[in-house]
Amino acid sequence: MPASGFTLFLTGLPGAGKSTVAAALQKHLERECVRSSTILDGDVVREMLSSGLTFTRADRELNVRRIGYVATEVTRHGGICICAVIAPYRGAREDARERVRRVGHFYEIHMSTPPQVCEARDPKGLYRRARRGEIKGFTGVDDPYEAPLSPQASIDTSRLTVDEAVHCILRLPRLDGLL
């Protein structure tokens, strides 16, 4: 019987630090665990699994459902799934939570970095393009981000180092005896 799997679901605005923290989590887990971990990064999933989707609300929700499905399968088989996705709508995140919880543990991590910090970082220049009207429906500019109401952790990467964020997040599965 495989060890109990779990999903770390990092959600937040573009530029909040999701991908950076996810990569650090995976490196830390590789050093600490014998189990494998898988990162589902929103940008990669969009390119590889959801390339035909647009950025309408329905397509964004479908994208998160697909991510939830893959996370469920990783979790079902005793793996550790690290999702690093904007996932702007609560309903889609709740669907992912319900799916994963049928087979393992689910931890919603709100990357709560303030919007002005995310926009100042703007690693891909997307906020600038959205402000100029070149991108429509951009989360945090002209499309909403529905912050989690009761995440298992809230991480502000403008106040915590990446290592501190990793420590805070991994405390959750440790407390549940999963690490």
Side-chain angles (χ1 to χ4, degrees):
M1 172 112 179
S4 181
F6 62 91
T7 292
L8 301 169
F9 198 94
L10 283 61
T11 175
L13 290 170
K18 299 176 298 296
S19 296
T20 300
V21 171
L25 280 164
Q26 187 174 50
K27 282 184 183 174
H28 186 88
L29 288 165
E30 284 174 358
R31 287 192 307 266
E32 183 179 311
C33 294
V34 292
R35 286 191 285 162
S36 65
S37 62
T38 300
I39 293 179
L40 297 178
D41 184 271
D43 290 339
V44 175
V45 170
R46 270 269 176 198
E47 180 183 336
M48 303 306 295
L49 296 177
S50 298
S51 62
L53 298 182
T54 66
F55 288 91
T56 64
R57 184 177 184 119
D59 278 0
R60 288 177 186 199
E61 288 175 338
L62 176 56
N63 186 49
V64 174
R65 280 197 304 278
R66 288 177 180 177
I67 290 166
Y69 171 77
V70 175
T72 299
E73 291 306 305
V74 171
T75 301
R76 176 189 321 277
H77 296 287
I80 300 167
C81 190
I82 305 165
C83 302
V85 294
I86 295 170
Y89 308 117
R90 283 187 200 107
R93 294 193 306 265
E94 189 55 37
D95 180 68
R97 175 194 308 274
E98 288 174 17
R99 284 178 184 274
V100 171
R101 281 197 170 163
R102 291 181 198 138
V103 300
H105 289 75
F106 181 95
Y107 302 97
E108 184 177 40
I109 314 301
H110 180 211
M111 302 300 288
S112 61
T113 307
Q116 62 274 21
V117 173
C118 296
E119 190 164 349
R121 288 177 179 167
D122 203 11
K124 300 172 191 167
L126 298 175
Y127 281 97
R128 271 190 307 282
R129 292 181 58 211
R131 295 273 181 220
R132 290 193 306 245
E134 297 170 15
I135 300 174
K136 298 292 183 196
F138 186 77
T139 303
V141 175
D142 61 352
D143 200 62
Y145 175 77
E146 299 171 352
L149 298 176
S150 55
Q152 283 67 54
S154 184
I155 305 293
D156 177 349
T157 59
S158 71
R159 296 182 180 266
L160 296 177
T161 67
V162 172
D163 286 340
E164 290 168 334
V166 166
H167 175 75
C168 288
I169 293 167
L170 291 181
R171 192 178 105 256
L172 299 167
R174 281 193 182 104
L175 289 172
D176 286 334
L178 300 173
L179 291 177

